[in-house]
Amino acid sequence: MDFSKIGRMFIGGKWVSSNNTREIINPSNGKVFAKVYEGSPQDVKLSVKAAKEAFAQWSAASVTYRADMLFKIADLIEKNSRELAEIDTLNNGKPLRDSLGDVADSVSCFRYYAGLIDKPLGQVYNVADPNTQSIVVREPIGVCGQITPWNYPLMMASWKLAPCLAAGNVSVFKPSELTPLSAIRLFEIFEEAGLPAGVANLAMGAGNTVGREISENLEIDKVAFTGGTVTGRNIMRSAAENMKNISLELGGKSPCIVFDDYDLDTAIDWALFAIFCNQGEVCSAGSRLILQDTIYDKFLDALAKRAAAIKIADGMQEGAEMGPLVSKEHLDKVLSYIETGKKEGARLVCGGFRITEGSFADGFFVAPTVFADCKPDMKIVQDEIFGPVLAVQKFHTQQEAIDLANNTKYGLAAGVFSNDITRALKVIKAVRAGITWVNSYHPTFAQAPWGGFKQSGIGRELGTFGLDEYTEVKQININLAPGKVGWFA
């Protein structure tokens, strides 16, 4: 990708500029390294018009044609893996190894949905009337507005666009204004693959302008959003104006429960991964560690040593294990929560500061932070911080662990570690969360549904459930004995 050129939007099969631009920052050094055109509500309206014009052709295309197109896109993503990964690392800050994994997941997502859409779909019913054959089919919804966050730029775009296009819908897509670069490159791949004009449209800009127009536009049939719960509520209100179909993947404050019968070193390894992977900028991060009292102190001592040894560096640097936060604004938010934790009386075990020495001076780096002795009503326990900040709580009984885990408005993810598989299964079934693990944390698969309970969202992404989110259910009744109904004399 040529960063010397201003990144353009893609509307109706054409690359489009605007009157305004936005500077894109490398969070590792705080420097501008790219510019993109900033869109407006009018660009959304033009995208909707182009999408509506393309819908009839794309929705009527054979599943073989649509599948071949998605397979071609997947191949091109794979062919350009290194470039796409470097773009996300420069733009988001995450280590390159993480970005390479995100690209691989994106390839898998497009291939999964390409392979799914020619499989059996719908239902056939034997109803009370022997002369009626009743069937149910699934049809595309229409124009879908899709809004993605900055923490997994390419992967979140793939999670939304692959099932949307596979089902025969058309898209008006808005990436985060902080991390739009891999989306621009993805739309270049769409063009190279020969995706028909108007099927997928890229409208870039801020949430309060471009995002709001997507939410409120009466000609958009569905809005799919991944991001913060406050924004999710606003989208719900806007969607009510024309009864839009919505799917929302929102925040989390997910528990990681460790019982004393599980290997200590292994549990520490997973606990670190649960919270510090991707700098903690993960909706499903294991940001609440709930430890059995018999291992509490020993676990914390070892955890703090391991956390302090994490290699923090520019994401492009060889061996980097944790990079910077995405922006100065987000850095300040995370640091304010750390100060809140101190004021609330939580015990700071390690970290708790911005790293500024040497080459870190202008970047947005925060040391891995662990707070112990946390109480249920603390803000660092209840609020989604979305950074490398772990709140640790203590439990004695199994029921106490469950109660602590469920004591939040969120219900996205959870993990349980125990060698007693019966206990582990009982606990994980009792935890109110949509994505759960036993003796692991974070693995994600294109085949399995992703989404949460309570204020963590509505609907599911990935798997067959993710495809269903982009379809309408239609009932068709066929009269096998045509003739008059004879209802009226």
Side-chain angles (χ1 to χ4, degrees):
M1 190 172 181
D2 186 354
F3 297 130
S4 67
K5 296 181 180 179
I6 301 177
R8 294 177 293 173
M9 296 175 285
F10 192 68
I11 299 173
K14 296 178 181 179
W15 292 98
V16 177
S17 60
S18 68
N19 295 325
N20 300 310
T21 60
R22 175 183 289 271
E23 293 181 335
I24 302 302
I25 307 295
N26 180 341
S28 288
N29 56 30
K31 295 179 180 178
V32 176
F33 76 103
K35 287 186 179 181
V36 299
Y37 284 105
E38 183 90 340
S40 68
Q42 181 61 27
D43 293 304
V44 175
K45 292 172 184 175
L46 291 172
S47 297
V48 172
K49 183 177 183 294
K52 289 187 71 174
E53 291 172 355
F55 177 65
Q57 176 192 355
W58 181 250
S59 62
S62 71
V63 290
T64 302
Y65 174 74
R66 295 204 303 268
D68 286 347
M69 185 61 64
L70 266 63
F71 276 126
K72 191 180 295 186
I73 290 168
D75 291 344
L76 287 169
I77 294 172
E78 189 171 55
K79 179 182 176 182
N80 294 278
S81 291
R82 182 78 185 190
E83 179 192 10
L84 286 161
E86 289 179 354
I87 289 171
D88 267 0
T89 289
L90 289 169
N91 199 170
N92 167 275
K94 66 177 64 186
L96 186 60
R97 69 172 184 181
D98 293 23
S99 295
L100 286 167
D102 295 348
V103 177
D105 285 345
S106 299
V107 172
S108 297
C109 188
F110 273 97
R111 286 181 177 156
Y112 173 76
Y113 285 108
L116 182 64
I117 55 176
D118 65 351
K119 302 302 182 287
L121 189 67
Q123 298 176 344
V124 178
Y125 300 104
N126 292 319
V127 294
D129 182 357
N131 291 322
T132 297
Q133 180 65 71
S134 186
I135 65 175
V136 167
V137 297
R138 287 187 174 270
E139 297 181 350
I141 294 170
V143 180
C144 298
Q146 301 181 295
I147 304 171
T148 54
W150 44 256
N151 59 332
Y152 288 91
L154 179 68
M155 194 174 81
M156 291 290 100
S158 301
W159 281 22
K160 294 228 177 338
L161 285 160
C164 172
L165 301 182
N169 298 287
V170 288
S171 172
V172 177
F173 180 80
K174 190 196 95 66
S176 167
E177 59 268 33
L178 297 179
T179 56
L181 299 180
S182 59
I184 296 172
R185 186 68 186 92
L186 178 62
F187 273 74
E188 290 176 352
I189 286 173
F190 287 173
E191 184 181 37
E192 183 180 351
L195 189 69
V199 170
N201 304 273
L202 174 64
M204 297 187 295
N208 60 6
T209 54
V210 174
R212 177 177 294 168
E213 177 62 30
I214 289 174
S215 301
E216 295 178 352
N217 191 290
L218 298 179
E219 295 187 276
I220 289 180
D221 304 296
K222 174 186 174 71
V223 173
F225 169 78
T226 297
T229 299
V230 172
T231 304
R233 290 195 197 101
N234 292 334
I235 289 173
M236 285 187 73
R237 294 187 189 100
S238 298
E241 289 302 313
N242 72 333
M243 299 298 290
K244 273 185 184 62
N245 186 310
I246 59 170
S247 55
L248 305 172
E249 201 268 90
L250 306 176
K253 193 68 179 178
S254 302
C256 188
I257 303 169
V258 181
F259 286 92
D260 61 7
D261 65 340
Y262 199 76
D263 180 73
L264 193 76
D265 289 340
T266 304
I268 290 169
D269 190 63
W270 280 108
L272 290 166
F273 182 58
I275 180 58
F276 298 127
C277 171
N278 207 60
Q279 301 77 244
E281 296 171 325
V282 188
C283 58
S284 57
S287 53
R288 292 186 295 139
L289 179 60
I290 301 174
L291 296 174
Q292 194 155 25
D293 52 8
T294 48
I295 58 171
Y296 187 81
D297 293 328
K298 185 177 181 181
F299 196 107
L300 275 175
D301 289 343
L303 178 72
K305 291 176 184 176
R306 286 286 306 276
I310 291 173
K311 182 175 181 180
I312 302 168
D314 181 322
M316 295 295 289
Q317 185 176 320
E318 184 71 27
E321 295 178 332
M322 200 175 103
L325 299 181
V326 71
S327 68
K328 176 63 165 56
E329 181 183 26
H330 188 57
L331 169 75
D332 291 341
K333 174 192 168 185
V334 171
L335 291 175
S336 72
Y337 268 110
I338 290 173
E339 291 307 308
T340 296
K342 296 175 183 177
K343 292 175 183 176
E344 289 180 320
R347 175 164 58 95
L348 183 63
V349 175
C350 67
F353 58 91
R354 179 181 181 181
I355 306 172
T356 56
E357 70 271 12
S359 61
F360 294 106
D362 298 317
F364 311 135
F365 296 89
V366 172
T369 300
V370 178
F371 281 105
D373 307 339
C374 296
K375 307 302 180 185
D377 60 346
M378 290 180 174
K379 288 179 69 68
I380 60 170
V381 173
Q382 292 297 327
D383 292 1
E384 183 180 43
I385 300 172
F386 219 69
V389 181
L390 178 64
V392 186
Q393 296 173 274
K394 184 190 298 186
F395 76 91
H396 180 64
T397 67
Q398 178 176 306
Q399 187 57 49
E400 187 181 0
I402 294 168
D403 292 342
L404 287 171
N406 286 331
N407 184 29
T408 172
K409 65 184 178 183
Y410 298 110
L412 187 57
V416 173
F417 291 84
S418 175
N419 284 329
D420 183 341
I421 196 63
T422 300
R423 173 167 64 182
L425 186 58
K426 284 182 178 179
V427 172
I428 210 65
K429 284 172 67 67
V431 174
R432 299 283 295 163
I435 311 151
T436 63
W437 298 273
V438 171
N439 297 338
S440 74
Y441 205 97
H442 275 322
T444 306
F445 308 98
Q447 299 87 348
W450 185 272
F453 293 6
K454 298 190 278 186
Q455 292 190 37
S456 287
I458 296 172
R460 294 294 183 268
E461 293 189 300
L462 300 182
T464 58
F465 299 88
L467 187 65
D468 288 347
E469 292 285 340
Y470 286 95
T471 63
E472 294 278 20
V473 175
K474 176 180 283 186
Q475 178 187 162
I476 301 175
N477 296 293
I478 305 165
N479 186 356
L480 303 178
K484 296 179 178 179
V485 65
W487 189 262
F488 299 105

